[in-house]
Amino acid sequence: MAVRQRQHEQDPMIRRTNFDAVESNLTDEQAKIEASRCLNCKNPKCVDGCPVNINIPAFIKEIKEGNIEKAGEVIRESSLLPSVCGRVCPQERQCEGKCILGIKSEPIAIGALERYVGDATNIKIGEIKETGKKVAIVGSGCAGITAAADLRKAGHEVVVFEALHKLGGVLRYGIPPFRLPRTFLDKEIKNLKDMGVKFITNVVVGKSITIKQLEEDGFDAIVIGSGAGLPKMMGIAGENLNGVFSANEFLTRVNLMQANMEETPTPIRVGEKVAIIGGGNVAMDAARVAVRIGFKEVYIVYRRTETELPARLEEIRHAKEEGVIFKFLHAPKEIYNKDGYVAGMQFEIMELGEPDESGRRKPVSTGKTVDLDVDTVIVALGTGPNPTIQASMLRDNMKLETNPKGYIIIDAETGATSVDKVYAGGDVAPTGSSTAINAMGAGKRAAKAINEYLETI
Ligand code: FAD
Ligand code: SF4
């Protein structure tokens, strides 16, 4: 059997100086070879591993037979954004993690094949029969745009309200372009515009307009896909010093506002040494962006060990290759202050104890501490939902149920909230891990439920 095909990657020493895509696509020949490795299993485990159950063997078979358009159609029955998911899904924990070939050798490169097909093909827009019904969507991230596509296909007028001046949510302001080139995101958004989805930017729902007003304006249903953009901080001394950023702010400033460019109204102070606190994809992205904008020493500081790092394996490998230094079993204790600026950081040295409720061994303090010489700190410890919409609904006497952390409570099958005609999905109402594909799945489920509901009125 042929070996697993690999995409060409930019040399790490070169790519650490640019924002171009790290990897190119598989060539046509490589894609065919990779597709021919698939056993077309009768009971394909890979499909169970995919959160939206793409018919993986079927699209791989089409590649093998040279029917790329057909392969694209098969994928898009389940996923609107194959170019995105092929690049950002944690395949090793999803489809590829279940591939039978992985037991004895290497699994099929399902992600690489998915993006190969996604890049080469386009959504097919059939004839749309107008229903006269209209749906408002809050947020243009994965959940919002997926719901928008399926609702528009069903013939409803769809208006997406986005708080920022650009569309795409985390795919635009969070994930850096060297991981997700913007051409593909722009292509998908253009497709939606061509289908007739309307986008209104710079509108903060809950402030510029409320959910109640949207209802009064005649929207028959509303989908809240406002994500979870509120950063969690550490709660330690020194957190308010100059030079401390949340990863969200840091990435947004660079990805969306080009803060690293010379001529910018919102510049970022590039220091010498930066500690990024956390071990997920967001931490890896912040570290790799810090390398590219000129920090000389970039540390990822994580309180468990390498085995527990939650980031995608590929991002960890790429970060290491690009010179990011990992400090494991370090927990933040204090940020030192010199004239209002970060002047180093103190960490507690940890060791792993008993497993916690997540099943991972819990870090416990050894009582020892260590100092790290840094002038910048980026906190990547996760985010929570912004309470703006929830608070405005409360003021309008709309009883939206949320959990104690402020996430909207939904029916996992339909996305229905406790408020009539209001649905939610994605990071604002997680029903699994907060990933791009899960947000898309939620958008699809909400759209299906709304389409069914709108048929009844
Ligand atoms: P978002 O993408 O956050 O979109 C929400 C949108 O709503 C935003 O555009 C926001 O501006 C808008 N909005 C918010 N409030 C309002 C309001 N009041 N009015 C109007 N608009 C509003 N997942 C993976 O699967 N793989 C990865 O490698 C990966 N890497 C990541 C890296 C980073 C840096 C981050 C931050 C996340 C990453 N994720 C990754 C997670 C994944 O991107 C998210 O789970 C997913 O994009 C969530 O989609 P969403 O539609 O729920 O929210
Ligand atoms: Fe192909 Fe692996 Fe899926 Fe089997 S499990 S159908 S070999 S991708």
Side-chain angles (χ1 to χ4, degrees):
M1 180 182 278
V3 292
R4 178 171 159 129
Q5 301 296 294
R6 311 216 173 266
Q7 295 127 309
H8 171 75
E9 288 182 359
Q10 273 197 76
D11 181 276
M13 287 307 113
I14 296 174
R15 70 176 191 245
R16 72 198 297 284
T17 62
N18 67 52
F19 279 77
D20 298 341
V22 167
E23 301 152 327
S24 57
N25 242 335
L26 293 173
T27 63
D28 296 346
E29 198 194 340
Q30 281 182 306
K32 272 204 166 173
I33 296 173
E34 190 58 26
S36 70
R37 293 177 64 233
C38 176
L39 305 173
N40 201 1
C41 305
K42 274 221 165 61
N43 176 17
K45 299 280 180 228
C46 52
V47 178
D48 300 337
C50 169
V52 295
N53 304 120
I54 294 175
N55 192 340
I56 293 166
F59 94 74
I60 292 182
K61 187 162 170 281
E62 297 298 348
I63 300 176
K64 197 158 74 182
E65 291 170 4
N67 304 324
I68 307 302
E69 282 299 323
K70 189 77 189 64
E73 282 169 34
V74 173
I75 299 177
R76 286 193 176 84
E77 278 166 19
S78 316
S79 164
L80 178 73
L81 306 171
S83 292
V84 172
C85 294
R87 285 177 169 84
V88 308
C89 277
Q91 284 100 7
E92 70 270 14
R93 288 201 291 271
Q94 299 179 346
C95 52
E96 291 184 21
K98 295 269 165 94
C99 172
I100 205 86
L101 287 178
I103 299 172
K104 288 209 170 144
S105 85
E106 288 195 281
I108 301 288
I110 300 169
L113 289 174
E114 186 183 354
R115 62 180 263 191
Y116 167 81
V117 173
D119 292 3
T121 59
N122 220 334
I123 189 172
K124 300 263 179 308
I125 309 169
E127 196 199 336
I128 293 178
K129 244 170 90 196
E130 302 296 334
T131 62
K133 314 266 168 56
K134 59 178 194 168
V135 183
I137 295 186
V138 184
S140 64
C142 292
I145 57 180
T146 307
D150 283 2
L151 288 160
R152 182 65 199 130
K153 274 191 232 161
H156 312 307
E157 183 184 339
V158 177
V159 186
V160 179
F161 296 91
E162 168 55 52
L164 295 173
H165 60 289
K166 289 213 172 161
L167 302 168
V170 163
L171 303 180
R172 172 89 55 193
Y173 71 75
I175 299 181
F178 52 83
R179 216 150 65 79
L180 179 62
R182 299 305 187 247
T183 9
F184 304 110
L185 182 58
D186 293 341
K187 179 179 103 174
E188 302 298 353
I189 288 173
K190 181 176 177 304
N191 284 336
L192 291 181
K193 287 182 178 166
D194 291 346
M195 283 166 81
V197 173
K198 295 180 190 134
F199 289 94
I200 308 184
T201 51
N202 297 313
V203 178
V204 180
V205 174
K207 283 206 188 303
S208 328
I209 189 167
T210 63
I211 297 282
K212 180 112 187 136
Q213 283 168 330
L214 290 174
E215 248 188 32
E216 287 163 2
D217 284 351
F219 284 99
D220 298 291
I222 297 162
V223 182
I224 304 176
S226 52
L230 196 68
K232 289 183 190 148
M233 298 304 274
M234 299 176 286
I236 60 169
E239 211 162 36
N240 292 326
L241 293 169
N242 288 307
V244 181
F245 298 90
S246 71
N248 247 34
E249 179 190 349
F250 177 75
L251 289 169
T252 304
R253 287 235 225 155
V254 178
N255 289 336
L256 194 68
M257 295 145 89
Q258 277 75 48
N260 52 321
M261 300 293 176
E262 263 168 33
E263 297 293 319
T264 172
T266 52
I268 222 161
R269 190 176 66 99
V270 178
E272 295 276 317
K273 301 176 185 180
V274 54
I276 288 117
I277 315 297
N281 289 322
V282 181
M284 300 304 143
D285 284 340
R288 297 175 67 201
V289 165
V291 165
R292 282 162 174 77
I293 67 172
F295 281 91
K296 306 261 181 323
E297 278 176 36
V298 177
Y299 297 95
I300 293 250
V301 190
Y302 183 55
R303 61 194 189 126
R304 290 183 160 99
T305 71
E306 178 156 9
T307 317
E308 290 82 26
L309 276 176
R312 295 175 74 223
L313 289 181
E314 192 173 63
E315 305 323 322
I316 300 168
R317 173 173 68 82
H318 283 158
K320 284 185 181 168
E321 288 171 355
E322 289 164 11
V324 174
I325 305 158
F326 285 73
K327 297 259 175 209
F328 295 112
L329 292 169
H330 281 49
K333 198 161 191 304
E334 183 181 346
I335 303 171
Y336 297 130
N337 176 356
K338 182 155 190 282
D339 304 330
Y341 284 83
V342 173
M345 221 180 146
Q346 187 184 54
F347 293 92
E348 270 184 283
I349 303 292
M350 313 300 277
E351 61 188 10
L352 290 185
E354 295 300 309
D356 61 15
E357 58 288 350
S358 72
R360 294 182 306 169
R361 288 177 67 194
K362 209 173 158 177
V364 286
S365 176
T366 60
K368 293 182 201 134
T369 60
V370 67
D371 285 353
L372 191 63
D373 175 23
V374 288
D375 53 33
T376 308
V377 176
I378 299 174
V379 186
L381 292 177
T383 51
N386 190 306
T388 308
I389 296 174
Q390 293 85 324
S392 89
M393 288 178 75
L394 209 64
R395 283 195 297 275
D396 284 333
N397 239 346
M398 299 174 99
K399 301 224 164 17
L400 184 72
E401 264 187 48
T402 55
N403 74 12
K405 290 184 175 164
Y407 292 98
I408 300 176
I409 296 174
I410 55 167
D411 178 308
E413 289 304 311
T414 63
T417 69
S418 55
V419 177
D420 209 22
K421 299 185 221 167
V422 178
Y423 296 73
D427 284 5
V428 74
T431 48
S433 55
S434 294
T435 57
I437 191 70
N438 279 338
M440 280 178 219
K444 265 192 122 41
R445 286 191 294 277
K448 180 168 179 282
I450 294 172
N451 284 336
E452 283 166 9
Y453 159 66
L454 292 183
E455 270 177 24
T456 67
I457 61 167

